[in-house]
């Protein structure tokens, strides 16, 4: 398998934008109409997820450990869609047909073999992870929303009781499906470390036009049931950090996984120093600042710095979050954990790497593709 040729090929077809997933799903549903019911009525978000998954796979194709972890999570998570082993062959045919269509004359037998081999490897990792997962846990959990609190005009904090309890690592996420929007799943991170009563805390930001976020932020959500997918994600505390101080950077509801990790750190025999930068456009967007300040008052190892970018009346740190973090400097000996909007995560990671922080000390979570 020629990695350079795969990347060149994908760059060639990716310029077609939304035409790529439109062709793929049209081909898939025409050839295999029986799978249409596995997808939501509106396919807009699903098409976006398809392209972004391809982008991530191609980007990580020569980073075996990262790609394997991503694919294993993907395989486990697809169980909630009722995906079975035979479906991978169905997808294989439509994916290769799509790539051939948009490749034009550049589609050669060698390139076809590269893509077929790559997909077979991807499918084998996903299927193996899904099969192992079947022995350990269900494809999804039923959860009851027991409480909801509006923290700002567009952010609500939910408490959900899953049945049975979910075993997860602080920093991970689950997909949530509401009863009134079947097959429409959106990822949200748990904002708490596992607790004895099993309750899960979620921070949900209302997205314009986002059907799932509209349902979850409605006061009527209390008492209703939702479905929860398996825990996924790699934004978890690095066991190899050896007590290095931690830098945490949270934009908006990107705070959720970092708050769960903070609770985990609080339970360690010896907690490392933690500096958390919590950013939003306005002071109102710092929806959980009061609780964070209470934690900082209780734990001497924690420092919380609120940051706003578009509020001239704010008396604290102002500016874009990556710039504020960079000007505080001195992060070379830290482990960094970043979560929030895509641009913020990307720019902060780039600034830290440019300042000399090793890339394997920078841990990322991207909320941009999952909020809706």
């Amino acid at each position: 398998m020629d990695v350079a040729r795969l990347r060149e090929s994908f760059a060639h077809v990716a310029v077609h934008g939304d035409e790529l997933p439109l062709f793929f799903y049209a081909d898939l549903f025409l050839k295999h109409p029986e799978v249409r019911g596995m997808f939501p009525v509106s396919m807009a978000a699903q098409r976006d997820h398809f392209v972004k998954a391809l982008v991530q796979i191609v980007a990580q194709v020569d980073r075996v450990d990262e790609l394997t972890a991503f694919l294993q999570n993907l395989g486990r998570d697809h169980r909630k869609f009722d995906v079975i082993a035979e479906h991978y062959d169905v997808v294989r045919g439509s994916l290769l047909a799509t790539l051939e269509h948009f490749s034009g004359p550049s589609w050669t037998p060698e390139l076809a073999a590269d893509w077929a081999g790559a997909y077979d490897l991807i499918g084998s990792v996903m299927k193996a992870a899904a099969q192992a997962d079947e022995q350990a846990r269900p494809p999804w959990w039923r959860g009851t929303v027991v409480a909801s609190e509006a923290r700002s005009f567009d952010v609500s904090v939910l408490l959900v009781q899953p049945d049975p309890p979910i075993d997860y690592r602080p920093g991970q996420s689950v997909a949530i499906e509401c009863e009134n929007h079947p097959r429409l799943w959106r990822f949200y991170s748990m904002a708490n470390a596992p607790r004895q009563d099993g309750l899960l805390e979620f921070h949900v930001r209302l997205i314009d036009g986002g059907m799932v976020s509209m349902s979850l932020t409605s006061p009527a959500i209390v008492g209703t049931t939702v479905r929860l997918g398996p825990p996924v994600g790699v934004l978890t505390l690095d066991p190899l950090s050896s007590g290095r101080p931690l830098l945490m950077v949270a934009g908006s509801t990107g705070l959720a996984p970092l708050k769960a990790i903070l609770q985990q750190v609080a339970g360690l025999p010896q907690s490392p120093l933690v500096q958390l930068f919590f950013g939003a456009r306005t002071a109102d967007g710092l929806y959980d600042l009061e609780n964070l300040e209470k934690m900082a008052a209780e734990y001497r190892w924690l420092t919380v710095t609120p940051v706003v970018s578009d509020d001239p009346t704010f008396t604290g740190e102002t500016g874009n979050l990556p710039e504020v973090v960079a000007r505080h400097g001195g992060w070379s000996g830290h482990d960094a954990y970043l979560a929030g909007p895509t641009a913020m995560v990307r720019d902060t990671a780039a600034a830290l790497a440019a300042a000399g922080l090793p890339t394997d000390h920078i841990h990322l979570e991207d909320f941009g593709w999952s909020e809706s």
Side-chain angles (χ1 to χ4, degrees):
M1 184 168 56
D2 189 323
V3 171
R5 188 161 54 202
L6 281 177
R7 284 181 168 156
E8 182 181 356
S9 166
F10 186 72
H12 178 75
V13 302
V15 299
H16 294 279
D18 202 40
E19 293 180 41
L20 195 70
L22 281 169
F23 186 98
F24 169 78
Y25 284 111
D27 185 86
L28 180 66
F29 296 154
L30 281 171
K31 293 176 178 175
H32 300 278
E34 71 278 7
V35 305
R36 181 61 182 91
M38 299 171 66
F39 296 86
V41 174
S42 172
M43 291 291 294
Q46 184 64 35
R47 291 195 299 269
D48 188 47
H49 293 172
F50 169 78
V51 172
K52 289 185 176 180
L54 278 180
V55 169
Q56 184 159 348
I57 289 169
V58 172
Q60 295 181 338
V61 69
D62 55 355
R63 303 199 298 272
V64 177
D65 290 344
E66 291 180 32
L67 180 58
T68 299
F70 173 72
L71 293 175
Q72 288 173 335
N73 273 331
L74 209 57
R76 288 187 285 262
D77 185 65
H78 272 57
R79 291 184 59 219
K80 72 179 186 287
F81 296 116
D82 301 321
V83 170
I84 57 177
E86 289 76 7
H87 291 139
Y88 286 90
D89 292 333
V90 168
V91 170
R92 183 186 193 272
S94 291
L95 178 61
L96 293 178
T98 302
L99 294 167
E100 179 179 6
H101 175 79
F102 288 103
S103 295
S106 65
W107 188 257
T108 63
E110 293 78 16
L111 183 58
D114 282 343
W115 276 112
Y119 181 82
D120 290 342
L121 180 59
I122 290 166
S124 66
V125 174
M126 291 178 63
K127 284 188 285 187
Q131 290 166 358
D133 201 53
E134 288 178 12
Q135 310 303 317
R137 54 189 183 179
W140 52 269
W141 286 254
R142 186 172 302 279
T144 302
V145 181
V146 298
S148 173
E149 178 187 355
R151 291 285 180 83
S152 69
F153 77 95
D154 64 346
V155 175
S156 293
V157 174
L158 305 184
L159 288 180
V160 177
Q161 182 72 67
D163 182 27
I166 298 178
D167 183 26
Y168 66 95
R169 296 177 63 191
Q172 288 192 303
S173 306
V174 295
I176 299 180
E177 178 202 53
C178 298
E179 290 181 326
N180 54 339
H181 299 298
R183 299 292 181 179
L184 197 58
W185 297 81
R186 294 296 175 265
F187 282 94
Y188 295 94
S189 294
M190 284 69 75
N192 62 290
R195 40 192 278 182
Q196 285 190 333
D197 60 11
L199 280 174
L200 307 176
E201 178 182 318
F202 295 101
H203 298 177
V204 181
R205 185 165 70 92
L206 177 63
I207 304 297
D208 187 22
M211 291 183 286
V212 175
S213 66
M214 289 178 65
S215 293
L216 292 177
T217 54
S218 167
I221 194 67
V222 177
T224 66
T225 58
V226 295
R227 291 207 296 176
L228 306 168
V232 298
V234 296
L235 186 68
T236 54
L237 197 61
D238 184 357
L240 301 178
S241 62
S242 302
R244 285 191 296 265
L246 306 181
L247 166 64
M248 295 186 175
V249 184
S252 185
T253 49
L255 174 67
L258 303 188
K259 188 177 179 183
I261 295 174
L262 281 178
Q263 292 183 8
Q264 179 185 11
V265 170
L268 295 176
Q270 186 171 355
S271 302
L273 294 176
V274 181
Q275 294 194 47
L276 168 66
F277 291 81
F278 178 33
R281 291 184 60 252
T282 66
D284 184 62
L286 301 172
Y287 64 91
D288 205 37
L289 183 58
E290 182 179 351
N291 287 325
L292 292 175
E293 290 177 335
K294 288 179 180 177
M295 288 185 71
E298 181 178 358
Y299 302 118
R300 297 180 61 182
W301 46 263
L302 174 61
T303 301
V304 175
T305 303
V307 181
V308 301
S309 59
D310 299 311
D311 188 347
T313 65
F314 187 67
T315 57
E317 291 280 356
T318 58
N320 291 328
L321 198 49
E323 296 173 359
V324 173
V325 173
R327 71 174 177 243
H328 276 255
W331 307 121
S332 59
H334 288 64
D335 275 278
Y337 292 80
L338 319 177
T342 301
M344 183 282 291
V345 169
R346 180 192 62 229
D347 293 347
T348 304
L352 292 173
L357 187 62
T359 55
D360 60 347
H361 289 191
I362 302 174
H363 310 272
L364 309 179
E365 184 68 270
D366 179 0
F367 270 31
W369 64 277
S370 62
E371 288 191 340
S372 55

